Amino acid sequence: MFSLLYGLLCFYVLGQQASGQADDGKRYICRAVPLSGDASCPVTLLPELNTGSQEEELRNTVMQLRETILQQKETISKQLGTINELTTKLSLCASTTDDRKYEKQGSWGKEKQNTMGDVPRDPNDTIDSLGKTMQGLKDRLENLEQQQMRANVSGATFPSELRDLLQRRLGELEKQLLKKVSNLEEEKSMLSNATAAYRLKTESTLNALVERISELEKGGGDFKSPEQFKLSLPQRTNYLYGRITKSLPEMYAFTLCMWIKSSASPGIGTPFSYGVPGQANEIVLIEWGNNPIELLINDKVAQLPLEVRDGRWHHICISWTTRDGQWDAYQDGEKLGTGDNLAAWHPIKPGGVIILGQEQDVVGGRFDAGQAFVGELSQVNIWDRVLKPFEIQSMANCSSYIPGNVISWLASNVEVFGRGAFKRPLEMCLERLPNA
């Protein structure tokens, strides 16, 4: 309490001196003194600041500013180096991705020199690598932001222009990487589709090869080649016949050719019939009684000027097209008849049954012995087009053999039914010619 009173007294005395005297440039301070001390309120003068101390303080301030500027310059240099490195990385990404090529076999080609070192060749690995690269770029951006925060704490100012530039560059890099990833996904999808198509094509080729080998193995035991056999039906019954194991597709034109030998009378019967559900007479070749050979399509009839009941081999072909129902008939390579309006604009229906030697009243059965074929048949082939005259003539004169593209005459394609029906070796083609 006494100390406080002494302090107030000292402050009052100094105020009186200040109000009564002019300012002499000196400054005074007051302090508390103990009760036993001198109560005269001694005054301690503050030391005057001389010129040398002011220069020293300024010099220290300049040195601090210089160090701050150097630190800021070093920070900017590191950030520019990071930008250059990111730009180089993106360029290498683009050049490495463009170098990737896909071979014809649907597999990845031989590995080339990896110019980037961290980009794999497989699409899945490439996508993973790009994702890791993107994460690395984001980590670097975070490091730069942390450096900015440390620079702000230390008093250095991070340039806003450089920060905006880094953000724009990173945004562009992210867009380009996303575009690359999308392109790789599309390429992966295309590669998968191409591989699947190639696999299906290969499997189809292999299946056809296996089927052909199987046909050769089954049909080549007693015959020189799978097509060098004949079907022999020696009796007119309703239980002797042959059946083609394959069916017909939908057709708008066809050509049916065969070698035929018969001396049956009256009429050779039915060498060929094709029936489908709802129409047992879709395609029929028949000669019964004293009538001429007839061609039936969808139960519509055209009479053919063919004569084959002399007990010798003859090569016959019948072609037809749905356009105007045009038909042509060949015997031994020569066109003997033509006509039109036979089931015009009617397509041949698919999925039926082909019977050799019997006429079908229902699909695949209910045969009539009076319409059965008696004789021998061979090389019954069917095409889904109208053959040219020179193609028919070349087969008739034994200069070539053309298997059908829809039905081909093979031992494995013909089943024989009934005791007395046989598949036998076929004579040489020259021996089958009419003048042989």
Side-chain angles (χ1 to χ4, degrees), residues 380-423:
V380 180
N381 291 286
I382 300 177
W383 297 260
D384 58 358
R385 63 183 178 89
V386 175
L387 293 186
K388 295 178 172 53
F390 76 88
E391 293 177 305
I392 296 175
Q393 187 176 9
S394 66
M395 290 187 290
N397 61 22
C398 298
S399 60
S400 68
Y401 173 72
I402 306 173
N405 68 332
V406 175
I407 297 296
S408 180
W409 182 255
L410 295 171
S412 59
N413 287 347
V414 180
E415 297 176 341
V416 179
F417 295 87
R419 187 173 180 178
F422 299 99
K423 287 189 289 187

Side-chain angles (χ1 to χ4, degrees), residues 225-282:
S225 60
E227 71 277 358
Q228 292 296 322
F229 73 98
K230 61 184 179 181
L231 174 63
S232 178
L233 303 172
Q235 301 175 8
R236 194 184 297 274
T237 68
N238 62 352
Y239 57 86
L240 297 181
Y241 64 95
R243 175 171 176 165
I244 303 294
T245 59
K246 295 184 178 181
S247 185
L248 297 180
E250 184 177 49
M251 298 188 299
Y252 299 90
F254 71 85
T255 300
L256 168 65
C257 293
M258 67 181 71
W259 285 90
I260 185 170
K261 179 181 180 182
S262 179
S263 58
S265 180
I268 62 173
T270 309
F272 180 92
S273 69
Y274 173 67
V276 298
Q279 180 53 268
N281 295 328
E282 187 70 3

Side-chain angles (χ1 to χ4, degrees), residues 102-274:
Y102 170 68
E103 294 186 352
K104 293 181 179 179
Q105 290 80 3
S107 60
W108 291 91
K110 296 182 178 179
E111 292 189 1
K112 299 182 180 179
Q113 183 179 1
N114 192 344
T115 60
M116 191 168 177
D118 60 348
V119 178
R121 296 301 181 187
D122 185 76
N124 294 327
D125 296 339
T126 302
I127 294 173
D128 295 339
S129 177
L130 290 177
K132 293 178 181 179
T133 303
M134 189 65 197
Q135 185 62 38
L137 295 178
K138 291 183 178 179
D139 293 341
R140 291 190 178 186
L141 179 60
E142 292 178 358
N143 292 334
L144 291 176
E145 291 176 349
Q146 293 176 1
Q147 291 179 7
Q148 176 189 2
M149 294 176 62
R150 288 195 296 269
N152 291 337
V153 172
S154 63
T157 303
F158 193 85
S160 60
E161 294 82 0
L162 182 58
R163 181 175 62 254
D164 295 339
L165 176 61
L166 286 175
Q167 291 178 350
R168 287 196 303 270
R169 294 291 285 174
L170 183 61
E172 293 174 359
L173 287 173
E174 185 174 3
K175 291 180 181 178
Q176 293 178 9
L177 286 176
L178 291 176
K179 183 178 180 181
K180 289 291 183 182
V181 170
S182 177
N183 292 337
L184 287 174
E185 289 290 349
E186 292 179 0
E187 182 179 353
K188 179 181 177 182
S189 177
M190 294 175 61
L191 176 62
S192 177
N193 294 336
T195 303
Y198 182 78
R199 181 171 61 252
L200 291 176
K201 182 178 179 181
T202 303
E203 291 177 354
S204 177
T205 303
L206 289 176
N207 290 336
L209 181 60
V210 170
E211 183 179 356
R212 178 62 177 171
I213 292 174
S214 177
E215 290 172 349
L216 291 174
E217 290 175 348
K218 292 179 180 179
D222 298 330
F223 314 127
K224 295 180 181 180
S225 60
E227 71 277 358
Q228 292 296 322
F229 73 98
K230 61 184 179 181
L231 174 63
S232 178
L233 303 172
Q235 301 175 8
R236 194 184 297 274
T237 68
N238 62 352
Y239 57 86
L240 297 181
Y241 64 95
R243 175 171 176 165
I244 303 294
T245 59
K246 295 184 178 181
S247 185
L248 297 180
E250 184 177 49
M251 298 188 299
Y252 299 90
F254 71 85
T255 300
L256 168 65
C257 293
M258 67 181 71
W259 285 90
I260 185 170
K261 179 181 180 182
S262 179
S263 58
S265 180
I268 62 173
T270 309
F272 180 92
S273 69
Y274 173 67

Side-chain angles (χ1 to χ4, degrees), residues 25-29 43-49:
K26 297 181 180 180
R27 300 292 181 265
Y28 301 91
I29 59 174
V43 177
T44 302
L45 297 177
L46 290 174
E48 296 182 0
L49 295 176

